[in-house]
Short mmCIF file of all heavy atoms in Angstrom, two decimals:
data_model
loop_
_atom_site.label_atom_id
_atom_site.label_comp_id
_atom_site.label_asym_id
_atom_site.label_seq_id
_atom_site.Cartn_x
_atom_site.Cartn_y
_atom_site.Cartn_z
N ASN B 186 77.55 32.88 100.71
CA ASN B 186 76.37 32.01 100.67
C ASN B 186 75.76 31.85 102.05
O ASN B 186 74.58 31.57 102.20
CB ASN B 186 76.66 30.70 99.99
CG ASN B 186 77.58 29.82 100.74
OD1 ASN B 186 77.18 29.19 101.69
ND2 ASN B 186 78.82 29.81 100.35
N THR B 187 76.61 31.86 103.11
CA THR B 187 76.09 31.66 104.46
C THR B 187 75.25 32.85 104.94
O THR B 187 74.09 32.66 105.43
CB THR B 187 77.21 31.41 105.46
OG1 THR B 187 78.14 32.54 105.40
CG2 THR B 187 77.92 30.13 105.19
N ALA B 188 75.75 34.05 104.71
CA ALA B 188 74.98 35.24 105.09
C ALA B 188 73.73 35.32 104.24
O ALA B 188 72.63 35.71 104.71
CB ALA B 188 75.80 36.49 105.00
N SER B 189 73.88 34.94 102.98
CA SER B 189 72.73 34.97 102.05
C SER B 189 71.64 33.99 102.50
O SER B 189 70.46 34.31 102.38
CB SER B 189 73.21 34.63 100.66
OG SER B 189 72.16 34.78 99.74
N ALA B 190 72.00 32.83 103.05
CA ALA B 190 71.02 31.88 103.54
C ALA B 190 70.24 32.47 104.69
O ALA B 190 69.02 32.34 104.76
CB ALA B 190 71.70 30.56 103.96
N TYR B 191 70.92 33.19 105.60
CA TYR B 191 70.24 33.88 106.70
C TYR B 191 69.28 34.94 106.16
O TYR B 191 68.18 35.17 106.72
CB TYR B 191 71.23 34.55 107.62
CG TYR B 191 72.00 33.71 108.59
CD1 TYR B 191 73.30 34.00 108.87
CD2 TYR B 191 71.37 32.65 109.27
CE1 TYR B 191 74.01 33.22 109.82
CE2 TYR B 191 72.07 31.91 110.25
CZ TYR B 191 73.40 32.19 110.47
OH TYR B 191 74.12 31.47 111.40
N MET B 192 69.75 35.64 105.12
CA MET B 192 69.02 36.85 104.68
C MET B 192 68.06 36.59 103.58
O MET B 192 67.37 37.54 103.11
CB MET B 192 70.06 37.95 104.25
CG MET B 192 70.91 38.50 105.43
SD MET B 192 69.92 39.32 106.66
CE MET B 192 70.33 38.41 108.13
N THR B 193 67.95 35.37 103.07
CA THR B 193 66.99 35.08 102.01
C THR B 193 66.16 33.83 102.28
O THR B 193 65.11 33.60 101.66
CB THR B 193 67.67 34.84 100.64
OG1 THR B 193 68.41 33.60 100.69
CG2 THR B 193 68.60 35.99 100.24
N GLY B 194 66.70 32.91 103.10
CA GLY B 194 66.04 31.65 103.36
C GLY B 194 66.35 30.63 102.30
O GLY B 194 65.75 29.55 102.25
N HIS B 195 67.33 30.95 101.41
CA HIS B 195 67.70 29.98 100.40
C HIS B 195 69.22 29.73 100.54
O HIS B 195 70.00 30.69 100.59
CB HIS B 195 67.46 30.54 99.00
CG HIS B 195 66.02 30.71 98.68
ND1 HIS B 195 65.31 29.77 97.93
CD2 HIS B 195 65.14 31.68 99.03
CE1 HIS B 195 64.03 30.21 97.79
NE2 HIS B 195 63.92 31.30 98.44
N LYS B 196 69.62 28.48 100.52
CA LYS B 196 71.04 28.17 100.47
C LYS B 196 71.57 28.49 99.09
O LYS B 196 70.81 28.48 98.12
CB LYS B 196 71.28 26.71 100.81
CG LYS B 196 71.04 26.47 102.32
CD LYS B 196 72.00 25.42 102.87
CE LYS B 196 71.93 25.46 104.40
NZ LYS B 196 72.92 24.56 105.01
N SER B 197 72.85 28.72 98.99
CA SER B 197 73.43 28.95 97.65
C SER B 197 74.85 28.46 97.63
O SER B 197 75.28 27.71 98.48
CB SER B 197 73.37 30.45 97.29
OG SER B 197 73.69 30.62 95.93
N ARG B 198 75.57 28.90 96.58
CA ARG B 198 76.91 28.39 96.38
C ARG B 198 77.95 29.38 96.86
O ARG B 198 77.71 30.58 96.92
CB ARG B 198 77.04 28.16 94.85
CG ARG B 198 78.26 27.34 94.48
CD ARG B 198 78.19 26.93 93.01
NE ARG B 198 79.26 25.96 92.72
CZ ARG B 198 79.36 25.32 91.54
NH1 ARG B 198 78.52 25.59 90.55
NH2 ARG B 198 80.32 24.47 91.35
N VAL B 199 79.13 28.92 97.12
CA VAL B 199 80.26 29.75 97.56
C VAL B 199 80.37 30.93 96.58
O VAL B 199 80.33 30.78 95.36
CB VAL B 199 81.58 28.98 97.57
CG1 VAL B 199 82.76 29.92 97.80
CG2 VAL B 199 81.54 27.97 98.75
N ASN B 200 80.51 32.15 97.16
CA ASN B 200 80.65 33.44 96.42
C ASN B 200 79.33 34.05 96.02
O ASN B 200 79.30 35.18 95.48
CB ASN B 200 81.55 33.33 95.18
CG ASN B 200 83.02 33.22 95.54
OD1 ASN B 200 83.40 33.74 96.60
ND2 ASN B 200 83.79 32.59 94.69
N ALA B 201 78.18 33.35 96.21
CA ALA B 201 76.92 33.87 95.70
C ALA B 201 76.10 34.58 96.75
O ALA B 201 76.05 34.16 97.91
CB ALA B 201 76.07 32.73 95.07
N LEU B 202 75.39 35.63 96.35
CA LEU B 202 74.57 36.43 97.25
C LEU B 202 73.19 36.65 96.60
O LEU B 202 73.10 37.22 95.52
CB LEU B 202 75.20 37.83 97.42
CG LEU B 202 76.50 37.88 98.25
CD1 LEU B 202 77.15 39.25 98.00
CD2 LEU B 202 76.26 37.70 99.73
N GLY B 203 72.15 36.16 97.26
CA GLY B 203 70.78 36.48 96.83
C GLY B 203 70.40 35.88 95.47
O GLY B 203 69.48 36.35 94.84
N VAL B 204 71.15 34.86 95.08
CA VAL B 204 70.85 34.14 93.84
C VAL B 204 71.16 32.65 94.00
O VAL B 204 71.91 32.28 94.87
CB VAL B 204 71.72 34.62 92.64
CG1 VAL B 204 71.40 36.08 92.30
CG2 VAL B 204 73.20 34.46 92.89
N TYR B 205 70.52 31.84 93.12
CA TYR B 205 71.06 30.48 92.93
C TYR B 205 72.16 30.62 91.83
O TYR B 205 72.00 31.41 90.92
CB TYR B 205 69.95 29.53 92.48
CG TYR B 205 69.09 29.09 93.63
CD1 TYR B 205 67.89 29.73 93.91
CD2 TYR B 205 69.48 28.01 94.40
CE1 TYR B 205 67.08 29.30 95.02
CE2 TYR B 205 68.70 27.61 95.48
CZ TYR B 205 67.51 28.25 95.76
OH TYR B 205 66.75 27.78 96.84
N ALA B 206 73.19 29.82 91.98
CA ALA B 206 74.30 29.91 91.05
C ALA B 206 73.98 29.10 89.81
O ALA B 206 73.93 27.89 89.82
CB ALA B 206 75.56 29.38 91.69
N ASP B 207 73.72 29.82 88.68
CA ASP B 207 73.45 29.10 87.44
C ASP B 207 74.74 28.89 86.67
O ASP B 207 75.81 29.15 87.14
CB ASP B 207 72.34 29.80 86.65
CG ASP B 207 72.81 31.08 85.93
OD1 ASP B 207 74.01 31.38 85.99
OD2 ASP B 207 71.97 31.74 85.33
N ARG B 208 74.58 28.38 85.40
CA ARG B 208 75.77 27.95 84.68
C ARG B 208 76.35 29.01 83.76
O ARG B 208 77.45 28.82 83.21
CB ARG B 208 75.43 26.74 83.85
CG ARG B 208 74.36 27.05 82.76
CD ARG B 208 73.90 25.80 82.08
NE ARG B 208 72.78 26.09 81.15
CZ ARG B 208 72.11 25.18 80.47
NH1 ARG B 208 72.40 23.88 80.60
NH2 ARG B 208 71.14 25.51 79.68
N THR B 209 75.65 30.13 83.57
CA THR B 209 76.14 31.13 82.61
C THR B 209 77.21 31.99 83.24
O THR B 209 77.27 32.17 84.43
CB THR B 209 75.00 32.00 82.14
OG1 THR B 209 74.43 32.67 83.26
CG2 THR B 209 73.94 31.23 81.38
N PRO B 210 78.17 32.49 82.40
CA PRO B 210 79.28 33.21 82.98
C PRO B 210 78.90 34.59 83.60
O PRO B 210 79.61 35.04 84.53
CB PRO B 210 80.21 33.49 81.76
CG PRO B 210 79.62 32.76 80.59
CD PRO B 210 78.26 32.32 80.95
N ASP B 211 77.85 35.22 83.18
CA ASP B 211 77.44 36.50 83.72
C ASP B 211 77.11 36.34 85.23
O ASP B 211 76.24 35.56 85.57
CB ASP B 211 76.24 37.03 82.94
CG ASP B 211 75.76 38.40 83.37
OD1 ASP B 211 76.24 38.88 84.39
OD2 ASP B 211 74.94 39.00 82.65
N SER B 212 77.74 37.11 86.05
CA SER B 212 77.51 36.99 87.50
C SER B 212 76.25 37.70 87.96
O SER B 212 75.83 37.54 89.11
CB SER B 212 78.76 37.51 88.28
OG SER B 212 78.91 38.91 88.03
N LEU B 213 75.65 38.49 87.05
CA LEU B 213 74.47 39.27 87.47
C LEU B 213 73.19 38.80 86.90
O LEU B 213 72.14 39.43 87.07
CB LEU B 213 74.74 40.76 87.14
CG LEU B 213 75.95 41.38 87.84
CD1 LEU B 213 76.26 42.74 87.24
CD2 LEU B 213 75.70 41.48 89.32
N ASP B 214 73.24 37.62 86.19
CA ASP B 214 71.98 37.12 85.59
C ASP B 214 71.42 35.88 86.25
O ASP B 214 70.49 35.31 85.79
CB ASP B 214 72.23 36.83 84.08
CG ASP B 214 72.99 35.55 83.87
OD1 ASP B 214 73.62 35.05 84.84
OD2 ASP B 214 73.05 35.07 82.73
N ASP B 215 72.01 35.54 87.37
CA ASP B 215 71.60 34.25 88.01
C ASP B 215 70.22 34.39 88.65
O ASP B 215 69.77 35.48 89.01
CB ASP B 215 72.66 33.82 89.10
CG ASP B 215 74.02 33.57 88.41
OD1 ASP B 215 74.50 34.46 87.71
OD2 ASP B 215 74.56 32.51 88.65
N PRO B 216 69.50 33.26 88.79
CA PRO B 216 68.15 33.34 89.34
C PRO B 216 68.10 33.89 90.72
O PRO B 216 68.74 33.41 91.67
CB PRO B 216 67.69 31.85 89.29
CG PRO B 216 68.65 31.13 88.45
CD PRO B 216 69.93 31.89 88.46
N ARG B 217 67.33 34.98 90.90
CA ARG B 217 67.29 35.69 92.14
C ARG B 217 66.28 35.14 93.12
O ARG B 217 65.27 34.60 92.72
CB ARG B 217 66.95 37.19 91.90
CG ARG B 217 68.04 37.90 91.14
CD ARG B 217 67.71 39.38 90.98
NE ARG B 217 68.85 40.10 90.44
CZ ARG B 217 69.05 41.42 90.56
NH1 ARG B 217 68.13 42.18 91.18
NH2 ARG B 217 70.12 42.00 90.08
N VAL B 218 66.55 35.36 94.40
CA VAL B 218 65.54 35.16 95.44
C VAL B 218 65.43 36.45 96.23
O VAL B 218 66.33 37.29 96.16
CB VAL B 218 66.01 33.98 96.36
CG1 VAL B 218 65.88 32.68 95.62
CG2 VAL B 218 67.32 34.18 96.95
N GLU B 219 64.37 36.62 96.96
CA GLU B 219 64.10 37.86 97.68
C GLU B 219 65.00 37.96 98.90
O GLU B 219 65.11 37.02 99.71
CB GLU B 219 62.67 37.97 98.07
CG GLU B 219 62.26 39.31 98.67
CD GLU B 219 60.76 39.39 99.01
OE1 GLU B 219 60.28 38.47 99.64
OE2 GLU B 219 60.15 40.38 98.69
#
Side-chain angles (χ1 to χ4, degrees):
Chain B
N186 69 78
T187 55
S189 185
Y191 283 143
M192 294 295 122
T193 68
H195 293 261
K196 289 215 167 186
S197 190
R198 193 169 190 174
V199 169
N200 286 333
L202 292 163
V204 296
Y205 281 96
D207 75 5
R208 64 187 174 185
T209 59
D211 183 348
S212 63
L213 297 170
D214 75 344
D215 297 54
R217 293 183 170 202
V218 292
E219 188 179 45

